[in-house]
Amino acid sequence: MDKKLERILQRVQKPARYVGGEYNSIVKDKKDVDMRIAFCFPDTYEIGMSNIGLRILYGVYNSVDGIWCERVFAPWSDMEAEMRAAGIPLYALESGDPIKDFDMIAFSLGYEMAYTTILNMLDLAGLPVRSKDRHGLTPIVIAGGTCCYNPEPLAAFIDLFIIGEGEQVNIEVAELYRQAKKDGLTKEAFLKKAAQIDGVYIPSFYNVEFSQDGTISGITPRDGAPEKVTKRIVEDFDTSFFPVNDIVPSTEIVHDRISLELFRGCIRGCRFCQAGYVYRPVRSRSVDRLVNQAKSALTNSGYEEITLASLSSSDYRGLGDLCDGLLEWTEPRKISLALPSLRADNFSISLMEKVQKVRKSGLTFAPEAGTQRMRDVINKNVTEDDILNTARTAFEGGWNSVKLYFMLGLPTETDDDVVAIAELAEKVLYTWRQYAQNKSRGVRITVSTSCFIPKAHTPFQWEAQDTMEEYARKVALLRSSIRSKAITYNWHSPETSYAEAILSRGDRRLGDVLETVWQNGGRLESWSEFFSLDRWLDAMTQHSLSPDFYTHRERSLDEIMPWSVISDGVLENHLKKERTAAYAGMITPDCRAKCTGCGANTLVKGLKCDE
Amino acid sequence: MSSYRAEFSKTGTARYMSHLDLMRTMQRVFIRGGLSIKHTQGFNPHPHMVFALPLSVGCDSVCELMDFELLDDEAPEKIKAVLNKTFPDGIKVLSVYKPERKFKDIVWLAVEGQYEYDSGIDDEKLDALEAFYGREQIIITRKTKRGFGDADIRPNIYSLTLKREAPDTVRIDAVIAAQNPSLNPEHLVNALRQLAPELAPDFALFKRKAFLDKDLHIFK
C-alpha cells in the first residue's frame, strides 16, 4: 500500500471503504489487459455498493477478456481533504492505480444531487471537468443510468452518454474504443463512430439554440449524429447476466443483502413515476431461474438475507411460487427473506404468513395521495378499501408498524386532498383498534410526505412544481390535521426537492451553474449536511438563470424539451393522452388488464411485453 | 457438536475492518464454506463465535483467536483449508485446534510497533525515547466511558525495547497488559504526544504478535 495513503487511513472515518480487497473483487493481471475502465459511483462506498446496476455492469465488463473494470467511489469529506493535502489522486479500489490514466471513466447517474460529486471526482482524479478540455482519446468519460434520460445539465462534462440498459451497449462502446485505440483514432473520430451505436448520445454533436424567453428554439445534430437516440434494452432479460458470484463488502453497506431482480418495467403506469415509464417494457425472469440465482448468490456470498428487487414486486406473476421456492431453501438455513414495496391491493394473507415465519418487519405502503380523486389523477389504482383491507390483514397477522408514503404538490391538488392524508392515517389507526390481535404492544403509524418533482418522460413533464412556500404551507396543514399520537409525521425538506427539480428538467445552460456550485464547495449533496440551497441560488443568479423558470413554470405542450433527442420508446402522444386523462380524473387500467399502446414494446423486434 | 479455536492473522487491507466487520465476515466465511456453525439461542439467532480480545481498527495482528462450535465434527485441518478459501484479502487462518484454555488466562500481549520519524531519529533522541518509557510513572489523559480521566500506563508495560531499523524508523517490541486492564498500544504513542511531543513519531503502526499467559508463555 502507498505509504502516504497508509498514514491517511489511520485518521479517517471508516477506512475500510478505501482499500478494496473484498471477497470476490476482481483483480486481473495487467499484462492480459488492454482496456481499463474505472466504474465511478458518485456517492460513498456504502451507497454505491448497494447499487444493483453497478454490480451487474462490473460483472458484464469483467467477463470480457482484456477488459478490467474497477470500482471508484466518492471519498467522504475527511478523506477528500486528506487526499488533496497529500496529493493522492482518485484511485480505483482493485488496483489502487490513479484513474486518470484509465481508458474509460464510467459514471453511474441515479440521482441529480450527485452531479456535483461527478465534477469533484473528475477533479480529484486530476482531470479537467469539461469535456472540451480533455483532448486525448484517453480517458473517455461516459455516463449511464436513469438520470441520463435528461442528460443535458451534464452535457458539458460527459463525452458520451449511454441511454437505457447497459448490458449490451456498454460492451459495444468498449469494443469500439479498443479498436479506436489500436487504430490510433482521435477522441473526435472515436466519438463520431460511437454516435452511430444505437443508444449512444454524444452531447457535443448537438447544437442547442435558445429563444429570448429561455426556451429551446432548436436542436441540430451534426457529424451524422442521429436526430433521436432511443434507449437500449437487453434483448432477453430472462437469460441476461445476473451477478451470482458477487463482491461481498468487508464493511457494512446500506443494502447489505442479496437483491434478486424479478423483472424490469412496471405494469402500473403511475403518471408521476419516471421509473415506471423509462424502464418499459415489462420483462421478467422465470421462477426457476430466480430460485437458482438466489441459491447460488446466497451460497457464494454467505449472506443471511435476501430481498426481491423490482418496481412493484407484488406484480410478479409467479410471486407465490417464487416465495415457496425461496423459503423452502432459506428457512432451514435461517436466511431471511424480505419483501419490499408491496402494493396495497394484492397483498395476500398467505404471502404475508409465509414471510412472517422467518422474520416480521414493518409494512410499507405508498398510497401517494389521500383522496380517491387525487389517486385517480396520478393513476395510482389503489382504493381506500384496498389499503384498509390490507392494513386489517396485517394487524390481524400481528403487525404493529405501518409506514405510509405520500406526495404533496401533485397536479390539481387541493387542501382537501392534503387533509385527507391525515384522515386516511386515522382510518388505518382505527382499523388497528378494531382488528389488532395484541393491542398491548401499541401501534406505530408513520406518514411521510415528499415533494412532487415533475420528471422528464412522464405525463407530468409539462407541469409546474409547487413553490417551497406552498409545500411548507401544505406540510403545516397536514401536521395540524394529524391528531393522534400514534401517528408520526415526517416530511422531506423542500429545499433539496427544489434543486433536484431544477436539474431534472434542466437544459445544458445549467452546466455553468453546476460548475460554479462545485467550485463553491458543492459535493456529496445527497447528504443533507453537505447540501446548501443558497449555493445553488447564488450560482443561478451569477449565471443569470431563474430557478423558477425550471421549477414553477408550466411548459406548453409544443415546447422543445431539453431531452427531446432522447427517447425511452414511449410515444410522446401517449404521454399527452395520459396527461389529458389525469386532468379528467380518468384512470388508465394497468398494462396487464389492457395494453395502452405506449410504444415501448417495439424497442426489440419480436418482444412481447409482460409475458 | 465440537468446539474449535482458530488462530488467524488480520493484516494489510484487512487492518481497516472494524470488529463488527470482522464478525460479519467470519459468519459469511463459514456459510460460504458450508460449515454449519452453532447459532445462539433466542429471539434473533445468529452464529455464535467468541473472539479473544477485540482488535482496534488500524492495528495488524498475527495472533487473533476465535472460538466457535460446529454442529458436525470436522478435522481441524479441513476447517482451516475451507475457511482460507473465501476470506477477503489480509485475513488468514493459521491453525485450528480444540481449545484447552480459557481466554481469561490471557494476561499479556506481545506487540511490535514501527515508529516513523520523517526527519530521522538520532542517537540522542533514541536515548531520550528509551528514557521516556523507563520512567517510574507515565500518566496520560485518556477517554473513558465517563469522559476523560488520568491513568498511569507504566504498570501496564511489562517490557519494552527499542531498536533503530532505519535512519527514520524505530522498532518497538513490547509486552503490555492484555486485559483487566488492557493497554491499547496506541497509548504508547499518545503518551509521547502528551508528555514528550518532541519524541512523538510522525506515524506509528502496531502489530499484535502473541497472547501470553501470566507466566509469559504463549497462550494457545
Side-chain angles (χ1 to χ4, degrees), chain A residues 1 3 6-7 9-10 15-16 19 21-23 248-252 256 299-304 334 359, chain B residues 13 15-17 21 24-25 27-28 31-32 39 44 47 57-58 86-89 116 118 202-205:
Chain A
M1 200 183 307
K3 270 280 168 203
E6 194 171 55
R7 287 191 181 189
L9 290 172
Q10 298 284 8
V19 295
E22 305 98 318
Y23 175 64
V248 183
S250 302
T251 186
E252 192 171 21
D256 213 1
T299 311
N300 295 341
S301 66
Y303 269 115
E304 292 189 294
K334 300 185 174 68
R359 190 182 292 174
Chain B
T13 52
R15 159 197 316 155
Y16 304 105
M17 289 166 63
D21 293 338
R24 267 191 291 267
T25 297
Q27 288 175 17
R28 290 170 190 160
I31 297 172
R32 298 201 280 258
H39 278 62
N44 186 12
V57 172
T86 71
F87 276 119
D89 291 355
E116 291 176 17
D118 291 349
D202 295 295
F203 178 66
L205 189 65

Side-chain angles (χ1 to χ4, degrees), chain B residues 40-158:
Chain B
T40 54
Q41 308 291 309
F43 185 69
N44 186 12
H46 55 274
H48 184 61
M49 43 185 78
V50 180
F51 292 82
L53 294 163
L55 180 66
S56 307
V57 172
C59 187
D60 281 343
S61 175
V62 292
C63 65
E64 292 305 288
L65 298 175
M66 171 185 71
D67 286 358
F68 55 92
E69 289 173 64
L70 292 185
L71 299 182
D72 307 305
D73 283 4
E74 295 284 1
E77 271 308 305
K78 189 194 157 191
I79 298 172
K80 176 184 158 187
V82 167
L83 293 178
N84 276 337
K85 253 191 239 165
T86 71
F87 276 119
D89 291 355
I91 299 179
K92 193 177 170 211
V93 170
L94 307 169
S95 62
V96 175
Y97 51 91
K98 306 245 172 186
E100 283 165 13
R101 307 179 68 181
K102 301 208 158 143
F103 289 152
K104 68 173 170 49
D105 291 346
I106 298 171
V107 178
W108 300 105
L109 176 63
V111 296
E112 177 192 309
Q114 302 281 337
Y115 288 7
E116 291 176 17
Y117 294 87
D118 291 349
S119 48
I121 177 159
D122 55 21
D123 288 345
E124 195 187 332
K125 210 165 171 181
L126 189 64
D127 290 344
L129 199 57
E130 214 144 332
F132 176 85
Y133 287 119
R135 288 182 190 181
E136 296 265 302
Q137 280 189 327
I138 303 177
I139 296 173
I140 63 163
T141 305
R142 55 183 184 177
K143 219 167 141 184
T144 67
K145 279 172 193 157
R146 288 175 295 278
F148 287 88
D150 287 347
D152 181 8
I153 62 165
R154 186 60 189 84
N156 303 333
I157 305 172
Y158 179 87

